[in-house]
Amino acid sequence: MDKKKVAVPLVCHGHSRPVVDLFYSPITPDGFFLISASKDSTPMLRNGETGDWIGTFEGHKGAVWSCCLDTNALRAASASADFTAKIWDALTGDELHSFDHKHIVRACSFSEDTHLLLTGGFEKILRIFDLNRPDATPREVEKSSPGSVRTVAWLHSDQTILSSCSDSGGVRLWDVRSGKIVHTLETKSSVTSAEVSKDGHYITTADGSSVKFWDANHFGLVKSYDMPCTVESASLEPKFGNKFIAGGEDMWIRLFDFNTGEEIAICKGHHGPVHSVRFSPGGESYASGSEDGTVRIWQTQPPTPTPTTALNGPSKHSSPSPLEVVASKLEDLHVANKD
């Protein structure tokens, strides 16, 4: 593919401030979904395929730094500068739980079995909340972090958790049962993005101007590629594992060959640094979130027809009315019948 010929992305408006985190749900019976975190304090849920706005989660009083959906895309979680992490009903937009912290919460992640929520932030403490007993005191991992927690994730069927820091290099892996560090993935720069692959085989990290791939079971470094600029986020294609994307300070998203590191495509369109990139669960597209306040969805293999722009975000931050939901379903049905 000529890397100069890249399809126009779906552009998703709606956020009023920078988009700092993106998360795709797994494929569910209702499709797959994309949630975005922004400094405007309002996480947004979208159709993962079309980018169309579904709803906005209202309740935070500070920037939202991290967001995620559970395995069934029935609940959302968000981590905020207002010293809270919140759990939301992804169908109604209602706030289900709010977990108080003593400082900015920078990262959150649902366990694979959806029963636990992992958080981390400026307190330098990893906390595990039992969502079956939300009023119970959370478990704290002792001596969690040498610095402010930047990223968190689960792996090994919720037996291991990983975290990285904003002010020091490396990724630390913790045994959930013992609460002790079992390994550290060494990096020179702080890790700004850490993603566990869909098959559980790889950990993809972005640190400085490098993207690295680690064996998630033996923790060895598999591949390391130098990037043309400082990168903030990277993601591995989930279906075949043969491509990866990276985005950062030069405002472009680059698509690479996993095996060779060859640059396949450059996606230009953002007007500010790219803070987050993620592949869709089927690998047919990927999303980017930027300082310019937009989310853009790009096709992994650009289609021949000219793609259409996604519906703009809401004119005001509010959840869709029942009438809008019905209208949306009727529109989807009409399109399906037309196809």
Side-chain angles (χ1 to χ4, degrees):
M1 181 176 72
D2 186 344
K3 63 186 179 186
K4 294 182 180 180
K5 296 179 180 179
V6 178
V8 177
L10 299 169
V11 182
C12 309
H13 298 284
H15 285 297
S16 59
R17 296 199 62 202
V19 177
V20 292
D21 193 28
L22 297 171
F23 185 93
Y24 274 106
S25 76
I27 298 173
T28 75
D30 297 316
F32 60 95
F33 303 91
L34 174 65
I35 188 172
S36 54
S38 169
K39 291 183 180 179
D40 66 9
S41 80
T42 53
M44 287 188 178
L45 184 66
R46 297 180 182 276
N47 179 300
E49 184 176 6
T50 66
D52 291 342
W53 177 79
I54 294 174
T56 301
F57 301 104
E58 297 182 321
H60 279 298
K61 295 179 173 61
V64 175
W65 287 106
S66 177
C67 59
C68 58
L69 294 162
D70 69 13
T71 305
N72 302 309
L74 298 177
R75 291 176 298 180
S78 53
S80 173
D82 66 7
F83 297 12
T84 69
K86 294 183 184 294
I87 304 291
W88 312 85
D89 186 317
L91 300 180
T92 65
D94 295 335
E95 180 182 311
L96 300 177
H97 308 291
S98 185
F99 300 120
D100 292 334
H101 294 64
K102 296 178 182 178
H103 212 315
I104 292 170
V105 192
R106 193 64 194 266
C108 61
S109 179
F110 280 108
S111 60
E112 185 179 331
D113 67 9
T114 75
H115 297 320
L116 305 172
L117 181 73
L118 173 65
T119 67
F122 280 31
E123 287 183 84
K124 306 178 183 179
I125 297 172
L126 295 174
R127 288 187 174 89
I128 300 174
F129 294 87
D130 185 342
L131 300 181
N132 293 324
R133 299 185 303 128
D135 295 329
T137 302
R139 177 184 171 188
E140 295 184 359
V141 179
E142 295 182 11
K143 300 178 182 178
S144 297
S145 176
S148 171
V149 176
R150 177 67 182 266
T151 66
V152 296
W154 299 83
L155 65 161
H156 301 154
S157 299
D158 302 333
Q159 297 302 305
T160 308
I161 55 179
L162 65 79
S163 69
S164 69
C165 300
S166 297
D167 34 18
S168 63
V171 174
R172 288 152 193 85
L173 295 114
W174 312 79
D175 181 275
V176 172
R177 290 162 293 186
S178 68
K180 298 184 182 299
I181 295 177
V182 293
H183 198 84
T184 299
L185 309 179
E186 300 289 350
T187 64
K188 292 181 179 179
S189 303
S190 62
V191 172
T192 53
S193 170
E195 175 193 74
V196 180
S197 64
K198 183 179 178 181
D199 60 11
H201 290 165
Y202 296 107
I203 299 170
T204 303
T205 62
D207 69 287
S209 58
S210 172
V211 173
K212 295 180 175 66
F213 300 92
W214 311 81
D215 187 309
N217 296 304
H218 303 289
F219 308 127
L221 180 62
V222 178
K223 292 183 181 294
S224 178
Y225 295 117
D226 292 329
M227 297 288 108
C229 71
T230 299
V231 292
E232 202 166 327
S233 184
S235 182
L236 180 64
E237 194 277 332
K239 191 171 183 180
F240 302 107
N242 58 355
K243 301 181 183 72
F244 71 94
I245 48 173
E249 66 177 14
D250 69 357
M251 303 183 285
W252 299 347
I253 301 94
R254 289 178 164 88
L255 178 69
F256 297 91
D257 183 286
F258 171 78
N259 295 304
T260 66
E262 178 187 359
E263 189 177 88
I264 300 171
I266 299 177
C267 300
K268 303 178 181 180
H270 281 298
H271 303 291
V274 175
H275 296 307
S276 183
V277 293
R278 286 292 178 261
F279 263 104
S280 65
E284 66 281 347
S285 62
Y286 47 93
S288 55
S290 167
E291 183 75 14
D292 64 16
T294 67
V295 175
R296 295 171 188 252
I297 299 176
W298 314 79
Q299 297 300 310
T300 304
Q301 296 293 340
T304 302
T306 302
T308 57
T309 301
L311 293 177
N312 283 346
S315 57
K316 61 180 180 178
H317 299 312
S318 60
S319 299
S321 67
L323 184 59
E324 290 172 326
V325 173
V326 172
S328 175
K329 290 182 178 180
L330 288 174
E331 182 180 356
D332 292 342
L333 182 62
H334 174 72
V335 172
N337 289 336
K338 188 175 180 180
D339 292 341

